[in-house]
Amino acid sequence: AQSVTQLDSHVSVSEGTPVLLRCNYSSSYSPSLFWYVQHPNKGLQLLLKYTSAATLVKGINGFEAEFKKSETSFHLTKPSAHMSDAAEYFCVVSAMNRDDKIIFGKGTRLHILP
Amino acid sequence: NAGVTQTPKFQVLKTGQSMTLQCAQDMNHNSMYWYRQDPGMGLRLIYYSASEGTTDKGEVPNGYNVSRLNKREFSLRLESAAPSQTSVYFCASTTGQGNNEQFFGPGTRLTVL
């Protein structure tokens, strides 16, 4: 079985401060892990993905995530928030080589305070 | 490349009416998906198609039917719309073959009165 838990439904940070969005997963298979971003009234865009290569994954717009197998976590971070980062973020777990096992977290809405 | 396209962008239906949401991709992807997005629920899988000619139920298939018309197109049909089907619907595709990175369409916002 697979599941993914985003630990915070809302996160607020001030512009220029670090961002941390938390994600925990469980998987019976070797997992692939993804973070997607959705800006208001838009579709989803891939930020980054982990597929069993390097455990520290760098994505677009300065985001990165670290796969920690011992903690079953894949937290998303960014050193310095920008106003344009305000959006909803989804953590996704899937089973490698299994296209029918893609599970979305419920999302974390990131608010950036001026 | 247009990527994944969806039509219509917006639709308002009355309870009991039927409609079909269209999705097409021009990336030669094998797998296609239909999701619905509701506030606080994330994306929930309605149906998916791992290849042309095959479809399978996802987490919330009741009240929906799908057709994988060819490799490019995957449509979602509501036979008798209900207010509970008010949602934003997203189509997505992947290459399949173990690569689960999904490419999403812009969504269809459906309201059922």
Side-chain angles (χ1 to χ4, degrees):
Chain A
Q2 301 208 123
S3 68
V4 59
T5 302
Q6 292 185 241
L7 296 161
D8 306 292
S9 58
H10 293 265
V11 170
S12 295
V13 302
S14 296
E15 190 174 21
T17 64
V19 175
L20 170 64
L21 305 183
R22 298 182 294 166
C23 173
N24 287 107
Y25 72 92
S26 68
S27 178
S28 303
Y29 309 89
S30 293
S32 296
L33 293 155
F34 305 81
W35 277 98
Y36 289 85
V37 61
Q38 184 182 31
H39 287 94
N41 300 312
K42 299 287 188 185
L44 281 74
Q45 179 185 16
L46 180 70
L47 267 182
L48 49 81
K49 62 181 177 181
Y50 165 79
T51 55
S52 83
T55 56
L56 181 62
V57 182
K58 293 188 185 300
I60 61 172
N61 300 334
F63 284 94
E64 62 182 40
E66 186 171 8
F67 173 69
K68 292 188 176 180
K69 187 175 181 179
S70 61
E71 299 176 10
T72 60
S73 70
F74 191 57
H75 301 334
L76 182 70
T77 60
K78 182 174 180 177
S80 177
H82 190 272
M83 293 301 290
S84 61
D85 295 328
E88 189 150 25
Y89 293 78
F90 294 96
C91 182
V92 177
V93 63
S94 70
M96 285 187 200
N97 302 313
R98 292 292 303 267
D99 293 328
D100 58 331
K101 303 287 186 189
I102 301 176
I103 307 296
F104 279 74
K106 294 190 186 308
T108 298
R109 185 163 294 279
L110 177 62
H111 305 270
I112 310 297
L113 308 172
Chain B
N1 283 354
V4 180
T5 57
Q6 291 182 238
T7 56
K9 284 187 167 51
F10 302 94
Q11 183 71 49
V12 179
L13 294 177
K14 294 181 180 177
T15 297
Q17 287 185 317
S18 63
M19 79 161 294
T20 300
L21 281 64
Q22 306 286 355
C23 173
Q25 52 89 11
D26 62 1
M27 295 174 284
N28 201 36
H29 284 173
N30 291 312
S31 301
M32 298 184 73
Y33 306 78
W34 275 107
Y35 293 92
R36 59 177 291 172
Q37 183 179 28
D38 303 292
M41 301 292 287
L43 271 72
R44 292 182 292 169
L45 182 64
I46 305 171
Y47 272 94
Y48 69 97
S49 169
S51 62
E52 184 179 353
T54 68
T55 61
D56 286 284
K57 295 178 180 179
E59 181 185 354
V60 289
N62 291 347
Y64 305 95
N65 286 302
V66 290
S67 295
R68 183 74 182 267
L69 305 168
N70 48 55
K71 192 171 185 179
R72 290 187 63 248
E73 297 172 292
F74 188 38
S75 62
L76 178 72
R77 183 160 179 84
L78 288 70
E79 290 290 352
S80 179
S84 61
Q85 294 178 305
T86 293
S87 189
V88 181
Y89 291 86
F90 287 99
C91 179
S93 68
T94 71
T95 59
Q97 301 162 4
N99 181 346
N100 295 341
E101 176 184 344
Q102 292 184 299
F103 294 80
F104 285 85
T108 295
R109 188 174 294 274
L110 175 67
T111 301
V112 183
L113 302 174

